[in-house]
Amino acid sequence: MNIRYAKDNDIDSIKDIWNYCFNDEEGFVDYYFNYKYKNYNTVVIEEDENIVSSLQLNQYKLKLNSKIYDTSYVVGVSTFPEARGMGYMKNIMEFSLNEMYNKGQFVSILMPIDYRLYRKYGYEQCYDQIEYNLDVEELKNFKIKGKMIKAKDSNIKDLINISNSFLKDTNGNIERDQAYYENLFKEVKSENGHIYIHEDEKAKGYIIYFLNGDNMFVREIYYKNIDSLKTMLKFIYNHNTQCKKVTISAPINDKIRFILDNPKTSDIKIKPFMMGRIINLKGYLESLNIESDLILSANIEVEDKFIKENNGIFNIKLENKRIYVEKIQSEADVTFNINTMTQLGFSYIDIEDALIINNNKASDNVIKLFKTIFDKKDNYINEYV
C-alpha cells in the first residue's frame, strides 16, 4: 500500500472512483474536475500500481469566531468496492489529518454521508440548517416589490454585498469573494440551476434554485430586508404551474417561518449539515480573540486518537486577553475527546451542553474558563464541494 498525493495522470482513475461511489450528473462531474479538482489537494491509496481509494482536501477560508482560517474541506472520500473493509479509509483519513496539521491548518470541515463514519476520526456535528418543505400555494399572498432579474457575472459585487449583510449574525461561514461567486455561477449552471437578484432601487436579495420535476429546491435565499424576502417568496409562487412543492434551505436564524400564513401546515425541520474538526488544538485556542480581562486557568485532558499533538493534558490559561496552552504532566480537572472540544471550539455548543452530553462534571473554575472562551453561536455554512 502506498499513500501519496495524486499526479497529473491520475485524474481518470480518480474520476472513475468518484463516478462509481457518487450518483452525480455528468454536468456536475465535469464542472468538479474542470474547476474544483486539484491533484495537489488529492490524496490517494495505491495498491499494486492501481488507485483504489481517494479523497480531496479542497481549500477554503473559513470565518470562525471573528477570525479567518485556511481550511481543508474534506470531500470525495471514496473506495472501490473490491478494496472496502481492508482499512484503507482509516489509513487515508489518518494521513490526511496529519497532513493538515503539518501544513499549519487549525480546523477542517466535512459533509458526511454517514456521521458514524467520521466521528471516529474526530469530526463532529457543528452546523445545522432549517429545511422548509412547503406547498407553493402557501406563498400566494406575498407581493412583489421591485423586480427580479437573472444574475450575471457583472452582478457579483451585489451578491457579495447581500451575502455579507445576510450572514453578519452567523458564525463559521466561508469567505465569499469575486472568485468564489465566479466559481458558484459555474457550479449552479452545471446542475441546471438559476440565480436571480431582487432589485428595489438597489439589489436587496438573491435566490439560487433548481427545478426538479414538480419540486423547486432553493439552495440559498439571502435578503437585506423583509420586503426582499417576501418578494422572492412570491417569485417562487409564480412557478406554481411548474412546481407544486418547494424545499428551502436556510440558516437557523432565518425569518421565513415568522411570516408564513399558516406555519402549522408547513413541514419545518432542523437538518444536520456539516461536521467540523479541530486539527491543531493549541494553535486554534491561542488564535482566539478574547475580550475578558479575567485571569483563569484549568488543566484539560483531551483524547485524540489520530493527531498525537492534540492528545494529552493541557494547561489552558487566560491572561491579558490571550489564551496560552501548554501540554503538561499533571492531574486533569476535566476530560473531553476532540469531538467535544471541536463543538466547543466551533461555538456549536457551550460548556453546559458539553458536560450534559458527556455525562461529566466540572468545577466552577473550569466552567467559568470555558464560558469566557467559548459562547454558543448560530453557525451556518452552505458549501457542497
Side-chain angles (χ1 to χ4, degrees):
M1 180 187 70
N2 180 32
I3 303 180
R4 60 172 174 81
Y5 283 99
K7 302 172 184 175
D8 289 343
N9 60 358
D10 291 327
I11 187 168
D12 288 339
S13 296
I14 294 164
K15 190 182 290 189
D16 285 344
I17 298 177
W18 184 287
N19 284 326
Y20 187 90
C21 295
F22 307 116
N23 189 30
D24 292 321
E25 297 291 335
E26 183 179 352
F28 177 80
V29 175
D30 288 343
Y31 151 77
Y32 182 82
F33 281 93
N34 285 332
Y35 297 105
K36 295 291 290 186
Y37 172 84
K38 301 287 187 292
N39 62 291
Y40 51 80
N41 289 330
T42 300
V43 181
V44 301
I45 292 182
E46 190 177 48
E47 194 71 74
D48 297 327
E49 299 185 353
N50 293 315
I51 292 175
V52 296
S53 187
S54 72
L55 61 74
Q56 281 87 57
L57 303 173
N58 290 343
Q59 298 302 295
Y60 285 95
K61 292 189 178 297
L62 187 73
K63 296 190 286 186
L64 187 63
N65 292 320
S66 303
K67 299 289 289 289
I68 296 179
Y69 299 94
D70 290 328
T71 302
S72 290
Y73 180 3
V74 180
V75 303
V77 183
S78 49
T79 304
F80 275 132
E82 65 270 23
R84 295 173 187 173
M86 301 173 67
Y88 288 143
M89 182 175 177
K90 176 181 181 296
N91 292 323
I92 201 169
M93 288 296 298
E94 185 167 14
F95 176 90
S96 299
L97 288 169
N98 284 279
E99 280 294 290
M100 287 183 259
Y101 184 94
N102 292 333
K103 288 180 177 179
Q105 296 193 343
F106 292 168
V107 292
S108 172
I109 54 175
L110 181 152
M111 184 189 292
I113 191 169
D114 186 331
Y115 280 76
R116 295 168 298 182
L117 294 175
Y118 298 102
R119 279 199 170 110
K120 66 182 75 171
Y121 303 112
Y123 284 88
E124 193 50 78
Q125 172 64 17
C126 287
Y127 294 87
D128 299 314
Q129 292 185 359
I130 292 180
E131 181 179 276
Y132 299 88
N133 290 285
L134 311 172
D135 288 332
V136 170
E137 290 297 321
E138 295 183 49
L139 309 178
K140 182 176 182 178
N141 293 328
F142 293 113
K143 306 294 183 185
I144 285 185
K145 184 178 181 182
K147 60 184 179 180
M148 299 293 296
I149 63 169
K150 193 170 182 64
K152 299 178 290 188
D153 284 353
S154 58
N155 301 118
I156 286 179
K157 286 185 179 179
D158 289 328
L159 297 177
I160 294 172
N161 182 265
I162 293 164
S163 176
N164 288 340
S165 174
F166 181 74
L167 298 177
K168 68 182 185 302
D169 296 324
T170 62
N171 178 54
N173 322 129
I174 293 298
E175 187 176 48
R176 296 184 169 205
D177 55 13
Q178 178 82 19
Y180 174 91
Y181 276 100
E182 288 173 356
N183 193 67
L184 183 61
F185 271 96
K186 296 182 180 77
E187 181 181 342
V188 172
K189 184 179 180 181
S190 77
E191 297 186 273
N192 299 313
H194 309 273
I195 306 177
Y196 273 78
I197 293 177
H198 169 232
E199 284 190 352
D200 185 15
E201 295 182 356
K202 294 183 179 180
K204 298 294 178 62
Y206 76 79
I207 182 172
I208 301 176
Y209 65 95
F210 305 84
L211 302 174
N212 304 312
D214 65 353
N215 186 79
M216 176 189 287
F217 170 61
V218 177
R219 172 169 161 171
E220 292 183 1
I221 183 166
Y222 289 5
Y223 47 90
K224 285 189 169 185
N225 57 43
I226 206 70
D227 285 337
S228 181
L229 173 59
K230 290 178 178 179
T231 293
M232 291 187 289
L233 292 176
K234 182 67 172 186
F235 177 77
I236 294 171
Y237 168 76
N238 288 343
H239 291 76
N240 66 90
T241 58
Q242 296 169 268
C243 303
K244 303 305 178 187
K245 302 280 187 180
V246 59
T247 299
I248 303 174
S249 289
I252 292 296
N253 64 350
D254 180 75
K255 305 300 185 287
I256 293 174
R257 62 191 184 278
F258 301 124
I259 62 172
L260 294 172
D261 283 345
N262 187 10
K264 193 170 183 179
T265 63
S266 306
D267 177 18
I268 305 172
K269 58 188 177 185
I270 294 176
K271 181 179 69 172
F273 190 76
M274 189 78 76
M275 304 180 89
R277 195 197 202 279
I278 289 180
I279 298 297
N280 184 325
L281 180 68
K282 174 180 169 67
Y284 179 68
L285 292 179
E286 291 185 341
S287 76
L288 295 174
N289 293 323
I290 307 297
E291 296 301 321
S292 174
D293 290 317
L294 292 174
I295 298 175
L296 297 166
S297 178
N299 296 338
I300 313 300
E301 183 176 15
V302 180
E303 298 172 346
D304 189 336
K305 296 179 181 178
F306 291 92
I307 302 176
K308 69 180 188 306
E309 290 85 355
N310 296 334
N311 191 67
I313 298 174
F314 298 85
N315 176 256
I316 299 176
K317 184 177 182 180
L318 172 61
E319 188 175 24
N320 298 322
K321 298 185 177 181
R322 287 193 57 190
I323 298 172
Y324 301 89
V325 180
E326 180 184 5
K327 187 176 276 193
I328 59 173
Q329 297 291 328
S330 184
E331 294 263 336
D333 297 312
V334 69
T335 299
F336 292 123
N337 61 20
I338 195 65
N339 303 63
T340 297
M341 290 301 297
T342 290
Q343 290 185 310
L344 287 163
F346 272 69
S347 294
Y348 182 70
I349 63 173
D350 58 25
I351 184 61
E352 284 93 349
D353 295 328
L355 293 172
I356 291 170
I357 292 166
N358 290 277
N359 194 26
N360 209 339
K361 294 181 180 180
S363 68
D364 291 343
N365 179 64
V366 170
I367 292 172
K368 191 172 185 178
L369 173 66
F370 274 81
K371 279 189 170 182
T372 306
I373 296 175
F374 305 118
D375 58 332
K376 191 155 55 172
K377 297 182 173 74
D378 290 324
N379 289 356
Y380 175 71
I381 198 167
N382 201 37
E383 276 54 56
Y384 287 76
V385 290

